Amino acid sequence: MFEDRVPHILEGDYSPRSAVDIFTKDLGIVTDIGRGLKFPTPVASMALQMFVMTAAAGMGRDDDASVARMIADLAGLELPRAS
């Protein structure tokens, strides 16, 4: 994923290839199944929260690389913008 998403981040291109909302849905399914089986999913659970925060910031329909934008916004950093 790193090799696929980082070029989009560096280009400032967040046009959807796989939207944040899709990952939120899928990670929700994973964590629900884990909870039902009493099987821990700490990484998926944290990832779900990051995607939910990104969607709540208005980027739900943008590319899933937008999680990097949300983190940068929280940290007060500026990522490259599309030319």
Side-chain angles (χ1 to χ4, degrees), residues 17-51:
R17 291 163 191 84
S18 180
V20 169
D21 286 340
I22 299 297
F23 265 80
T24 301
K25 176 189 68 72
D26 292 348
L27 287 166
I29 292 168
V30 169
T31 57
D32 287 347
I33 291 170
R35 187 173 32 260
L37 296 172
K38 294 185 178 18
F39 187 85
T41 59
V43 174
S45 296
M46 178 53 76
L48 174 58
Q49 293 308 306
M50 300 302 285
F51 279 92

Side-chain angles (χ1 to χ4, degrees), residues 30-83:
V30 169
T31 57
D32 287 347
I33 291 170
R35 187 173 32 260
L37 296 172
K38 294 185 178 18
F39 187 85
T41 59
V43 174
S45 296
M46 178 53 76
L48 174 58
Q49 293 308 306
M50 300 302 285
F51 279 92
V52 168
M53 288 170 47
T54 304
M59 297 179 257
R61 292 187 173 172
D62 295 343
D63 191 70
D64 56 26
S66 293
V67 171
R69 264 195 306 177
M70 186 272 304
I71 293 169
D73 288 347
L74 288 173
L77 301 173
E78 193 168 320
L79 293 177
R81 299 192 185 280
S83 316

